[in-house]
Amino acid sequence: MAIKTAERLMKMRRICGYGAAIAVTPYLLIKIAWTFGFFLPTEQMGEASWRGINAATAVIAAVGILLAMAFCRPWGERLPAWMVALPVWLGTGLLVPLLLLAPVLGPAAMAQDQEAGAAGFWIYEQIFVMVSLVGVGICLPLALAGYAKVRWPEALGGPIDCGEVPGHTRQLQTALGRITAAGCMILGAIKIFWAAGGTLGINPDMLESRDLWWHLLSLSTGGWALVGSWGLLALITRRGSRRFLPSMAAAWISSGMLFSYNLFSIIRPDFQSSPEYPLARVMTTEMGIILGVMMGMIILLVLHDRRQAMIRKES
């Protein structure tokens, strides 16, 4: 029975790993073309700043292909843990929230670009980009789940409370976790307030620039911040969920999302043109980055203690 389960798990890893690699390839090719100035949909994207962004996302896509192959090949299990965990943390934070937004943001982005005078072939490029992102957003987490179940079983299964071992970091987790969860609640409330149409902290001269894209991204950030606060509190208190996976997944995705989305918004060339007042814009984006990093550190402490407790039970 165990052999059949292992075979099914390996089969799922291979199918999803190869599927993710194939799905992200069109995105990688488009980003390479834009980096070198080919098939640009608008003149603005020919600027050095936008080319830099496209080059960075092309590198991210290439890393995604390597990760997909690592998840479905035996050599991937021999990679250093940090080499896998760091890009996975960033990747799941970027892709999982995007899956929920893609059905709305994709058509909205295409309509917006058409109004701005983008070239006709941009529609086909956008379709390729969305198909790639949705494909990798579905396949890569599934391949990761199979990979993690083999390499880090403590990260997926079992009850939320596995007991304590000597030298545990429970008190540190609790102190940092409560501060971080409170910060996530504050950030979540601000973002949802803005998404619902609140104008406190918004420049009155830029109210009209709050388009559907901005509202949905604000709502997504706020929602994931609140989800992350729940997941984090459940991890540090061992309450709120009987199983470990739901709270772990919530905190993991939320922390990656808060870090990666806010970091990306800062380095975007059009960051200064968002409708928030400069101070509010900087404070919320930097707050998101800091909260994402703190959540990631707490998750590492939780996983370390959990692994030691599980090893002790087995011995």
Side-chain angles (χ1 to χ4, degrees), residues 40-290:
L40 294 176
T42 63
E43 293 183 2
Q44 181 188 22
M45 290 186 66
E47 298 173 359
S49 55
W50 275 109
R51 290 197 184 190
I53 291 290
N54 287 322
T57 50
V59 171
I60 292 173
V63 171
I65 292 176
L66 291 176
L67 276 177
M69 299 307 297
F71 292 158
C72 65
R73 303 300 302 171
W75 56 264
E77 297 177 18
R78 299 190 294 270
L79 291 173
W82 68 266
M83 193 178 292
V84 177
L86 182 59
V88 164
W89 178 62
L90 295 172
T92 51
L94 282 169
L95 292 171
V96 174
L98 181 64
L99 284 177
L100 303 177
L101 299 176
V104 178
L105 285 187
M110 286 187 282
Q112 185 182 53
D113 291 332
Q114 277 187 314
E115 292 177 1
F121 61 83
W122 169 233
I123 299 296
Y124 302 102
E125 289 178 316
Q126 280 279 56
I127 292 173
F128 275 121
V129 168
M130 295 308 299
V131 168
S132 287
L133 292 177
V134 171
V136 74
I138 294 173
C139 293
L140 198 60
L142 291 175
L144 168 63
Y147 176 90
K149 191 171 182 62
V150 173
R151 187 168 182 181
W152 300 300
E154 71 276 5
L156 292 180
I160 195 169
D161 191 354
C162 287
E164 307 292 355
V165 294
H168 64 80
T169 61
R170 182 74 176 273
Q171 291 182 338
L172 179 60
Q173 294 173 29
T174 302
L176 292 178
R178 286 175 177 171
I179 295 172
T180 305
C184 287
M185 292 177 188
I186 294 171
L187 179 62
I190 293 171
K191 288 290 186 176
I192 291 176
F193 172 74
W194 283 345
T199 58
L200 183 64
I202 303 297
N203 187 341
D205 297 331
M206 301 186 68
L207 291 177
E208 297 300 323
S209 65
R210 298 180 302 167
D211 55 12
L212 178 62
W213 184 283
W214 182 87
H215 278 283
L216 285 180
L217 286 180
S218 298
L219 179 62
S220 177
T221 302
W224 280 107
L226 295 180
V227 168
S229 67
W230 168 81
L232 192 61
L233 288 173
L235 290 179
I236 63 175
T237 62
R238 315 296 195 263
R239 295 193 299 268
S241 175
R242 291 184 178 181
R243 309 299 297 175
F244 180 70
L245 181 58
S247 54
M248 172 62 186
W252 179 271
I253 296 170
S254 173
S255 62
M257 188 273 179
L258 290 177
F259 177 82
S260 57
Y261 272 74
N262 283 289
L263 179 63
F264 182 72
S265 69
I266 285 180
I267 63 177
R268 279 176 61 99
D270 56 355
F271 173 64
Q272 300 297 331
S273 62
S274 58
E276 306 92 337
Y277 280 118
L279 180 60
R281 178 170 61 242
V282 171
M283 287 185 65
T284 52
T285 50
E286 292 190 358
M287 185 179 181
I289 292 172
I290 293 171

